[in-house]
Structures are given as structure tokens and as C-alpha cells.
Amino acid sequence: MIKAHSAMARYSASWANRLAVLVLRLAVGGVFMYSGFVKAVDPTGSYYKFIDYAQALGWHWLLGFTLFGAFAVAVVEFVLGLMVAVGACRRGAPVLALLMMAVMLPLTLWLALTGAVPDCGCFGDAMVISNWATFWKNVALTAAVAYLVVFNRSLHSVYGPAVQWVVMLLAFLYPLAIAAVGYATQPLIDFRPYPVGTSLAPRHTDATQAGSDFEYIYEKGGAQRAFGIDSLPGDDWSYVDRRLKAGKPDPVAASGAEAVTVYDHGDDVTAEVFDPDRQQLLILFPDLAGVNISYTYMVNELCDFAQTRGADVYGLTSGTAAEIDEWRDISMAAYPLYSVDDSQLKMLARGNPAVVMLSGGRIMWKRTLSSIDPARLDDSLATLQQLGSDMHPQLTLRRLTAALVAALAILLAVNRSHRLALLLVRRAKRKKSKTDNDNKK
């Protein structure tokens, strides 16, 4: 027992172990920080993922805590990651990380075995990996964290114990600020398929030629049948969907754009809505039943603002026909409401409601309705483009990141300045001692 303890102590003090601890600190800390960062960038996306988890597990009581959970997990992961990376709280940080992995490892194993949720959302939309890849990643991460639990104290922290709480505070505020801005306006980095600049307009000019590449599915009496564009059935058939014929390339996908399909009572009106010859303002209602009634006035004011500037206004929702009719009655909407697939709607922009401006079929800006300054709508000289001109996501992210790095650097300089002073004093003493010895000779 004594020999084993002695061997462990020798290994703990060895350069090999210290190098391993350093590498694992950076690796584990980097993974946790990256995971927390991408979740903080898009808290609404994490919120949707938490809902998927709650529904898959049948834990409906958890639905009321999903938004809090989206913020909390992002912040906790980033804080733990930074603490591990710099060696702060050498004993506590790895233990907390191991406790988190004790939850995540069996959870991701369950996901890999059942496929109850298509992807775990560990890295948000920034990096989508399979459930099995996620599980094996967590196995390696758990092993690395377990090693740090045992040996992390063999290497000093970058920061002294007296200021490590400040490091924790900075690590807490940074992702919280990013998440708050992302939730209130739009994510500071758009990892989704529809970033600003994406064209949603169909790229073909000959609709009949483009339509000939598709077959259209209609239903009658419970039976479905495919028709060509030149042989569509009468009103006694109900439109279901369209699909590309075998061997035909998708004209929108081939252009590099992501296809968003808009329906009006089952009819595809995508080309009408995304008209490249006009400007459009899209008002997105991912959860039409959950929209606060107080927003109706703002929506109608925005509609008037856009229409007086020559833009077409469309409401897009995944709500049911009954929900759409109810919204029309309550809001007295002066704009048409069309249907879009729920997942496409949530990917297009975050917010309920959200607003997207198109010009030439291309996304010019997007933001939540609540982030628009109502005073802008009363400005007769303001343009539609200017409604999104006050958003600078890249600049905001750079400033927040620069503030974190600067604060950590200043803290390190202040915290370790005494060591530098001691080093300079010792060097001066050695130099003086050498000079005195030379003089004696």
C-alpha cells in the first residue's frame, strides 16, 4: 500500500504527468468552453432542443424550465471550461465537470440506442454530429475529466487562489451577455442555413420548365396519386406535397440556397412570396397560439410602415388553420398568412414573432419584433432597410470577447505582479552579490 502510494506520488510529480495535466486541461476546457459558447450564441435553439428532450422523455413538467435550462447549461459549461483550462479551483472544477458528465454520458448513450432525438445539440447548429459520435466523444471526455480529478492538483493554476472567483465571475458574465443579446435580437453568429445574404427566391425563370421536374401528390378518398404539372386533377382532389422526379436536380439546392416552401391552403406560393422583383417583409410566427396579444398593434404598425414604402408583407406560420383564422380575427391582419414547415420557420429566424426583410429575394436583415424601436415606425424618412441598420452582431461579439480577454489579461498581470517583482529583486541581489565578490578579488 505504501509502495503504491509512493509510486503514485512520484508519478504525480513527474514531468510526464504535468504535461498530461496541461494537455487535458486545455482539451477538456476547450470542449466545455466551445460547447457553452455555441449554446450561448443561440439560446433559442437550445430552448427548442430542451423541448425535444422533455417531450422525448415524457417529462412534461420540465417544459416550464426549458428556457432557463438553455441559458443555465450554456453558462455552466463555459464557466467550467474556463476554470478547468486555467487550472482555477483545481479540485472543485474537475469534480463538477465529472458530475455533469455523469449525467450526459448515460443520456447520450440512450439517444444513441433509441434515436429519440435526432441529434443531441451538444454543439448547437455549429457542429451537428451523430448520436453515436456524441456518445464516444463523451466517453473520451469523461475519461479525461476523471484523470484531472485525480491529478489536476499536481500543476499550479494560472491565477492565484485570491482572484479565482473573479475569473469565475468573468466566465459567467461573458456567455450570459452573448445569450441575452442573441435571445433579444438574433444570434451573434448565424450557424443556421439562412444567414443574412441568403437568396430565398427561386432561381429559375421558366416556371413551367421548372415545374416539369416535379411530380405533385394529391389525395382523394384516402388514396394518394402523383400528377405531372400538365395533368393536375380537379378540385375534388386535395394537394398533399410535391417531390422531384427521379434523377432531377433541385434547382434551389443547386443554386446554393436553402429551399423554403410556402403554402396557401396546400398550394405552393413560394415564387409569389419570394418575388425577386419586389421587396418583402416577412413576419414569422413559429408559435402562433403563443404570440402575446399586445404584439398585434406593433405588427400592424410595421405592416403599414412596410406597405407605404412599396414592400409586400406576408405572415408565415406553422399554425393550424383554426389558429390562423383566430389570429386574423384578433389582430385584424391586413396581410396574408401562409404556412411554412415548422423546422424551416424556426431556422429562418429566431423569435416569436420574428421579422425578415427580403430585397431581390435575398435576406437583408432579420430580428425579433420586440427588438424594433417603435419610434422608427413614426419616422416618415426612415426606410425599410434602416429598421435593421442598428444591429452589428460581429462588432458586438468582438467587443464582448475583447472585453473578456482584456479583463483576464489585466487580472493576470495584477495577480502575478508580485512574482515578477520578486524575480527582479532576486536578480538584482544576485547581480549585486556577484559584483561584491568581484570587488573583493
Side-chain angles (χ1 to χ4, degrees), residues 86 106 139 144 172 203-205 225 234 252-253 264 277 335 395 427:
V86 301
V139 169
F172 171 82
R203 298 301 180 89
H204 51 77
T205 55
R225 180 180 168 188
V252 178
D264 180 20
D277 297 324
Y335 49 89
L395 178 60
R427 289 186 62 181

Side-chain angles (χ1 to χ4, degrees), residues 184-435:
T185 55
Q186 287 295 298
L188 294 180
I189 303 176
D190 198 342
F191 295 115
R192 294 156 294 154
Y194 312 105
V196 171
T198 301
S199 177
L200 300 180
R203 298 301 180 89
H204 51 77
T205 55
D206 189 339
T208 302
Q209 180 180 358
S212 65
D213 291 343
F214 293 88
E215 55 185 11
Y216 298 82
I217 313 301
Y218 282 77
E219 183 176 3
K220 179 180 178 181
Q224 293 187 357
R225 180 180 168 188
F227 296 88
I229 194 171
D230 297 324
S231 58
L232 297 179
D235 294 338
D236 54 334
W237 288 77
S238 299
Y239 175 81
V240 177
D241 197 5
R242 74 169 184 173
R243 65 191 179 203
L244 282 166
K245 294 179 181 178
K248 296 291 185 179
D250 188 331
V252 178
S255 71
E258 298 288 336
V260 176
T261 309
V262 184
Y263 296 101
D264 180 20
H265 296 92
D267 296 325
D268 188 341
V269 293
T270 306
E272 174 187 334
V273 174
F274 302 147
D275 184 352
D277 297 324
R278 294 183 59 81
Q279 287 188 341
Q280 295 88 30
L281 193 71
L282 309 179
I283 305 174
L284 278 52
F285 303 97
D287 179 15
L288 192 56
V291 176
N292 193 312
I293 299 300
S294 64
Y295 282 137
T296 57
Y297 177 78
M298 181 71 171
V299 170
N300 291 336
E301 287 292 298
L302 182 62
C303 177
D304 292 341
F305 178 90
Q307 289 176 341
T308 56
R309 286 153 180 80
D312 299 323
V313 180
Y314 300 101
L316 304 182
T317 181
S318 58
T320 65
E323 290 173 342
I324 292 175
D325 290 339
E326 182 180 4
W327 175 259
R328 285 197 179 105
D329 291 339
I330 293 174
S331 67
M332 296 180 290
Y335 49 89
L337 276 90
Y338 297 138
S339 298
V340 174
D341 178 77
D342 180 66
S343 61
Q344 289 184 333
L345 201 62
K346 291 176 179 177
M347 286 289 188
L348 185 55
R350 300 304 196 196
N352 188 44
V355 184
V356 179
M357 179 199 168
L358 303 182
S359 182
R362 192 174 301 277
I363 298 175
M364 305 305 294
W365 55 260
K366 51 184 174 176
R367 63 190 307 165
T368 60
L369 177 70
S370 59
S371 68
I372 295 177
D373 183 1
R376 287 283 187 94
L377 303 182
D378 296 328
D379 185 354
S380 60
L381 300 179
T383 65
L384 198 58
Q385 177 64 34
Q386 288 174 341
L387 287 185
S389 62
D390 60 334
M391 293 194 306
H392 306 284
Q394 294 181 353
L395 178 60
T396 301
L397 182 60
R398 285 199 297 268
R399 286 176 174 174
L400 289 173
T401 304
L404 174 67
V405 172
L408 290 173
I410 293 172
L411 182 64
L412 180 62
V414 172
N415 180 234
R416 296 305 188 185
S417 59
H418 69 285
R419 288 199 170 189
L420 178 60
L422 287 174
L423 179 62
L424 294 176
V425 169
R426 288 171 182 171
R427 289 186 62 181
K429 286 182 177 180
R430 284 198 299 267
K431 186 175 181 180
K432 184 177 183 300
S433 176
K434 183 179 179 183
T435 303

Side-chain angles (χ1 to χ4, degrees), residues 50-104:
F50 270 58
I51 291 177
D52 291 342
Y53 275 111
Q55 292 176 340
L57 291 165
W59 295 353
H60 300 292
W61 58 269
L62 192 59
L63 293 174
F65 302 94
T66 48
L67 182 59
F68 171 79
F71 276 78
V73 170
V75 171
V76 169
E77 285 188 340
F78 191 88
V79 170
L80 282 178
L82 185 57
M83 299 298 279
V84 169
V86 301
C89 300
R90 289 183 295 171
R91 177 181 296 175
V95 170
L96 291 175
L98 188 62
L99 289 176
M100 176 171 278
M101 295 312 302
V103 175
M104 298 305 300

Side-chain angles (χ1 to χ4, degrees), residues 136-204:
W136 290 116
K137 179 264 294 180
N138 283 347
V139 169
L141 199 58
T142 303
V145 172
Y147 186 95
L148 290 177
V149 169
V150 178
F151 294 107
N152 196 42
R153 297 183 69 195
S154 62
L155 190 65
H156 289 296
S157 169
V158 174
Y159 294 89
V163 300
Q164 289 180 6
W165 68 271
V166 183
V167 177
M168 187 182 300
L169 178 62
L170 294 172
F172 171 82
L173 294 176
Y174 175 73
L176 186 62
I178 289 175
V181 175
Y183 182 76
T185 55
Q186 287 295 298
L188 294 180
I189 303 176
D190 198 342
F191 295 115
R192 294 156 294 154
Y194 312 105
V196 171
T198 301
S199 177
L200 300 180
R203 298 301 180 89
H204 51 77

